[in-house]
Amino acid sequence: MDLGIDGKVALVTAASRGLGRGTAAALAAEGCRVAICARDPERLAATADELPGEPLVLPEDVTEPSAPRRLVDATVERFGGLDILVANAGGPPRARALEVTDDGMMDAVNANMLASIRLVQASLPHLRSAGWGRIVLITSQAVKQPIPDLAYSNAARTGLWAWAKTAAGDLIDDGITLNLLCPGLHATDRVAELGHRGRLGDPEDFGRVAAFLCSVHVGFLSGAAIQIDGAGTLGLL
Ligand code: NAD
């Protein structure tokens, strides 16, 4: 299927490895002009060398409050516009619910809720002026089913989901869709660091689903939180 996004401009944050990298690779393979961000410039440049096309490399810490605007401005300056945003950031550390601290919660909310909101807000003028846009927020299956030892993630990501649900309704008449992707366990460095074993998803497959959510075919699919979890989430809603 032709996704119809050849030549569209896409910004993918936290994209030197893992799910962000898989998404950037899938969008680049569809002919998108892609900007990728991560903190380590050398690692990011090495990732860019492996992707189709000539990705724009933007070394930034996406959790810095001023970074989203710089990322969007640099993407628009290079490519002349912005059509697709895939917002991603690293995940918070492990903690059970009764162990959380104020500082830890602030960090998680900043990284896994506010950074995405800031990216959407910075991107919107460009998507609106194009009269078309696709926004995908990478979160976690935790928005459907809290994970007992990832209390920071549970709290911050469900806040983002609640925000996104109403934001999507405010954008649909502008031709802009906004959806969450909710990964279960995938074979990435984060999952290796957390020590998980067993059946894992492929970040490249994840990226192809993300690219479909950024396609021309997804005009009426908005305000959804879609699990990619190999049937790992047991909730019915
Ligand atoms: P990963 O650690 O493999 O890769 C994270 C990427 O983000 C890397 O490129 C890293 O350099 C970049 N990054 C991290 N913090 C950043 C920051 N502050 N600014 C810019 N770039 C930053 O992680 P992953 O497994 O691909 O996970 C991506 C997101 O999905 C995370 O939020 C994670 O918690 C979530 N998630 C992952 C899984 C999974 O199974 N992999 C499951 C559920 C949720």
Side-chain angles (χ1 to χ4, degrees):
M1 181 191 288
D2 179 0
L3 299 188
I5 51 176
D6 188 12
K8 297 278 191 199
V9 178
L11 168 61
V12 186
T13 61
S16 67
R17 293 181 287 149
L19 305 179
R21 182 194 181 287
T23 302
L27 290 169
E30 291 297 324
C32 289
R33 293 173 287 161
V34 176
I36 55 174
C37 137
R39 289 164 299 184
D40 181 338
E42 286 178 16
R43 188 161 205 157
L44 191 60
T47 298
D49 286 344
E50 295 162 5
L51 301 184
E54 289 183 22
L56 174 61
V57 168
L58 300 171
E60 287 275 5
D61 181 337
V62 74
T63 67
E64 285 284 325
S66 55
R69 187 156 305 280
R70 282 196 298 276
L71 290 167
V72 169
D73 287 352
T75 303
V76 171
E77 189 180 330
R78 163 68 79 89
F79 295 124
L82 180 64
D83 306 293
I84 294 167
L85 167 69
V86 180
N88 183 36
R94 279 186 194 279
R96 294 193 72 88
L98 299 177
E99 295 169 357
V100 300
T101 64
D102 281 15
D103 285 349
M105 196 63 89
M106 300 286 190
D107 287 347
V109 167
N110 184 53
N112 298 114
M113 181 181 173
L114 289 175
S116 291
I117 294 172
R118 293 180 195 122
L119 282 161
V120 172
Q121 289 174 323
S123 301
L124 272 182
H126 305 287
L127 305 187
R128 282 191 165 125
S129 77
W132 187 94
R134 298 287 179 263
I135 300 170
V136 173
L137 311 179
I138 298 180
T139 61
S140 165
Q141 68 183 143
V143 304
K144 295 290 184 81
Q145 178 174 292
I147 302 167
D149 60 353
L150 288 176
Y152 290 124
S153 175
N154 300 336
R157 295 183 199 278
T158 49
L160 180 64
W161 174 214
W163 175 85
K165 192 72 183 171
T166 52
D170 289 347
L171 294 173
I172 193 72
D173 288 340
D174 296 329
I176 299 168
T177 64
L178 188 161
N179 292 292
L180 263 64
L181 273 180
C182 309
L185 290 174
H186 283 71
T188 67
D189 291 354
R190 168 158 171 91
V191 166
E193 284 157 17
L194 290 172
H196 287 289
R197 293 182 182 78
R199 185 179 164 85
L200 299 174
D202 178 349
E204 303 283 321
D205 285 348
F206 177 96
R208 285 185 277 270
V209 178
F212 177 74
L213 272 189
C214 298
S215 76
V216 292
H217 310 297
V218 179
F220 205 56
L221 198 179
S222 194
I226 299 167
Q227 299 138 233
I228 305 182
D229 64 357
T233 308
L234 293 179
L236 297 178
L237 298 176

